[in-house]
Amino acid sequence: MRARSLARPAALVPAALLALAACTPAPPGTQVHDPYEARNRAVHAFNIKADTVALRPLGQAANAVVPEGIGAAIVTFSDNASLPGMALNGLLQGNIEDAAVNSGRFVFNTLFGFLGFGDPAAEIGLYERDTDFGETLAVWGAPEGAYLELPLLGPSTERDAAGELVDILLDPLEWVGSDAVEAYRRYGTAAYVGEQIVERGQFMGTVDGLLYESADSYAQARLAYLQNRRFQLGPASGAGGGAAQADGFVDPFADEGAAAPAADAYPDFVDPFADLE
Amino acid sequence: MITRRTLLASAAALGLTAPLPAFAVTQQAATQLVGQLVAEVNAVIASGQPEGAMLAEFERIFLRHADVPTIAAYVLGPARRAATPAQMQAFMQAYSAYVARKYGGRFREFIGGEVEVVTARDLPRGVEVETRALLRGQSPFRVDFHVEDSTGRPLFFNLIIEGVNMLLSERQEVLAMLDARGGSLDRLIADLA
């Protein structure tokens, strides 16, 4: 899922990379590096208001009036339009397999899935390999940087924000230069907005719980984003001392205040029992 | 100071656990637990009952298979040191209902989807059972259960959804809830109950 805009001077790419050079070093483990917390919290308050007045009611409306099949088609179409960009990022990361899977999925669903509204590719096990330029930067060794909450876009980091900008600027669909492809790209952008609304409706309970029922929704969103992102990026995230972030082992039996994972090999393990002995 | 023994004793008093000797859980037993949990969730979904009834069932499934005393003690963190056994018992009771509501409710998102066990591996303590959840219109995602049988039967003590760790998230949340109440555990217990 990536944001796409209509105007995108490619000249901005070096600027994004320069901004990235200013990133602060990534913290180890599950630590949170949030030097801009006061500003981030102000943005979070704004984002909650935006959700309350716009996204949440739209999600409710979508739940009420949009048939499930139509909602799924919008999400699939939006994702399909972002597959060429994901394939490009796969190539930039040297991940030929993911690039091939995303390309194959794009071609298959565009040809046999009603231009990407359907998902016959899933039936042959060809699932999206979600990626973006933030991951490419991580693979290239860029540090995660400080945590950021972006207006309307939500949780991010310095590295991911720079990546998001580059993804907007570098969409392979734009290079084709045909009117039909350009129209397709624009419908993809519209579908991206629709996707946000449909998914807000689909995960109504979980998102409401996070945004409105938590004692500190800012801190919960921050922790969830960083954990999920580091899990997605794996060793490239630079957050686990090179260890895979896949296990999440927390030893709740051990601890004493230590929220940090016990060992690099088990970054997610918490031992609650050691806590109690 | 709450020791593991008093904690387990109060858990047993609540009927949450059976005080049996502890053995290290095997991968097979851990996988079986997760398989059973998934089967129970699927059975509730297939039953087609109204959503409110389903949610109540999901909460019961969560309570049946989660090591709630251990989770409750962990999320309380340093505040546990100052708690009396009576407070601990009251917190555990109140928190059980809260955490079952919150995480049991997540099972609802599996409606129309399927969950399959992928593999199991040993952890420094207990076993990790990795599962793959396939929901309609979504790419497959990973849900891990961390299982131990310190109470005599296999129970999960942590749940990790695409890297998002229940124990870590809940400890942060409980800390925030305590802060919002001036650090008063009694007020937190009253509000959770």
Side-chain angles (χ1 to χ4, degrees), chain A residues 206 214-215 248 255 271 276, chain B residues 4 109 125 162 165 171 173:
Chain A
T206 302
S214 166
D255 126 284
D271 188 350
L276 316 178
Chain B
R4 186 164 174 206
E109 282 162 16
R125 195 189 299 258
E162 285 280 293
N165 196 305
R171 181 179 258 199
E173 179 69 8

Side-chain angles (χ1 to χ4, degrees), chain A residues 64-164:
Chain A
V65 303
V66 180
E68 204 176 304
I70 303 288
I74 291 170
V75 171
T76 309
F77 182 78
S78 163
D79 287 345
N80 197 62
S82 68
L83 284 169
M86 290 193 203
L88 173 65
N89 277 301
L91 288 179
L92 292 174
Q93 293 157 20
N95 191 336
I96 305 302
E97 185 191 323
D98 281 8
V101 168
N102 282 331
S103 304
R105 182 176 159 84
F106 177 73
V107 170
F108 199 81
N109 276 350
T110 305
L111 289 179
F112 306 116
F114 306 101
L115 294 173
F117 284 105
D119 190 5
E123 275 149 47
I124 55 167
L126 218 50
Y127 295 107
E128 173 185 295
R129 304 284 177 95
D130 194 16
T131 188
D132 49 49
F133 199 73
E135 179 165 6
T136 301
L137 291 171
V139 169
W140 289 353
E144 181 182 76
Y147 178 74
L148 294 177
E149 182 155 339
L150 304 174
L152 303 180
L153 298 174
S156 189
T157 60
E158 287 178 320
R159 181 175 62 199
D160 289 335
E164 208 145 0

Side-chain angles (χ1 to χ4, degrees), chain A residues 68 206 214-215 219-220 227-228 246-250 252-253 255-256 259 268 270-273 275-277, chain B residues 4 67 70 74 80-81 109 123-125 128 136 142 146 150 157 160 162-163 165 167-169 171-173:
Chain A
E68 204 176 304
T206 302
S214 166
Q220 285 286 297
Q227 289 187 101
N228 177 247
D247 296 76
F249 177 63
V250 178
F253 304 86
D255 126 284
E256 234 7 69
D268 295 335
V270 178
D271 188 350
F273 300 96
D275 211 17
L276 316 178
E277 276 159 0
Chain B
R4 186 164 174 206
D67 185 350
T70 298
Y74 179 77
R80 192 176 61 243
R81 288 161 176 268
E109 282 162 16
L123 291 169
R125 195 189 299 258
E128 172 175 87
R136 238 194 315 243
R142 182 170 157 183
H146 288 184
S150 66
F157 63 87
I160 295 131
E162 285 280 293
N165 196 305
L167 282 178
L168 294 180
S169 299
R171 181 179 258 199
Q172 180 185 269
E173 179 69 8

